[in-house]
Amino acid sequence: MQQLRDIHDIQSVPWWPLAPGWWLLALAILLLAFALWRWRAVLSLRIPIPGLTLGSWRWDAAGALRDLRRRARAGQSSKTTASELSELLRRIAMARLGRPACAGLTGNDWLDWLERNDPRGFRWRERGRILLNAPYAPAGQVSDAHLLDLIEAVEGWVTTREPTTIPFRWFRARASSGV
């Protein structure tokens, strides 16, 4: 009986150094993260995520603005870019605030309305006059940098969400009246 001894447990497997499979998994995750970061602009609006933006006017408008910016940088004539931007801005404004609010406006009335309703406070009266004049101006009179600034201003109409006021209308009315 003295020759019998207790059974010894197997030593536990250390967690460090990691097995080669874990290193490969970490490398694959890093490569995937880099690829997502590198192509984030392409993925942000082109891959439909159900429930978020699929089928909305914002989705289509953002795609049209990206395409217009790309063509403007590629050398499209400034007259063409300005007329397409003007048409796109009017469509976005109607989608955002309704056709009766802005469909019949032209000239300075249109610029005044844009300035009053711009979600980011862009000065359309001063800086947006190019939308009225560029389609009729001689070639080369409109700067591409100015048009790219206007495209960014129009992106504000697409990316800025309307404040949700409907559920809190009753509360705000009572709070402002002092009741």
Side-chain angles (χ1 to χ4, degrees):
M1 279 277 214
Q2 287 185 344
Q3 293 180 356
L4 295 178
R5 296 185 182 159
D6 284 338
I7 298 175
H8 295 286
D9 288 338
I10 299 175
Q11 291 182 351
S12 62
V13 177
W15 67 273
W16 193 262
L18 293 177
W22 287 110
W23 288 109
L24 291 175
L25 180 65
L27 180 65
I29 290 172
L30 285 174
L31 288 174
L32 179 65
F34 176 74
L36 289 174
W37 174 78
R38 177 70 176 97
W39 293 292
R40 67 190 176 280
V42 175
L43 296 174
S44 66
L45 292 175
R46 294 191 187 211
I47 293 180
I49 301 171
L52 289 179
T53 55
L54 183 61
S56 72
W57 67 267
R58 293 178 193 276
W59 180 281
D60 296 333
L65 282 171
R66 272 194 322 274
D67 185 49
L68 185 62
R69 178 187 290 116
R70 182 188 51 77
R71 286 185 284 131
R73 287 182 179 159
Q76 175 175 303
S77 76
S78 56
K79 291 176 71 163
T80 305
T81 302
S83 62
E84 288 180 15
L85 180 63
S86 181
E87 177 187 343
L88 185 59
L89 176 60
R90 189 169 297 268
R91 288 182 14 220
I92 289 170
M94 285 190 284
R96 186 177 174 96
L97 298 171
R99 181 176 289 276
C102 61
L105 298 174
T106 59
N108 289 331
D109 294 336
W110 170 239
L111 294 177
D112 290 339
W113 185 88
L114 284 172
E115 192 161 328
R116 277 194 314 272
N117 294 295
D118 191 271
R120 293 187 181 170
F122 187 77
R123 295 186 321 259
W124 287 98
R125 184 92 162 126
E126 300 166 18
R127 299 174 66 191
R129 187 155 305 282
I130 193 172
L131 293 177
L132 303 179
N133 300 334
Y136 310 106
Q141 222 176 19
V142 179
S143 72
D144 291 335
H146 194 70
L147 283 172
L148 291 174
D149 288 343
L150 288 178
I151 291 173
E152 276 189 43
V154 174
E155 281 179 344
W157 285 78
V158 175
T159 58
T160 305
R161 300 280 182 185
E162 288 294 318
T164 55
T165 58
I166 294 173
F168 302 106
R169 185 178 292 157
W170 176 80
F171 175 74
R172 288 185 181 169
R174 290 192 55 133
S176 64
S177 65
V179 176

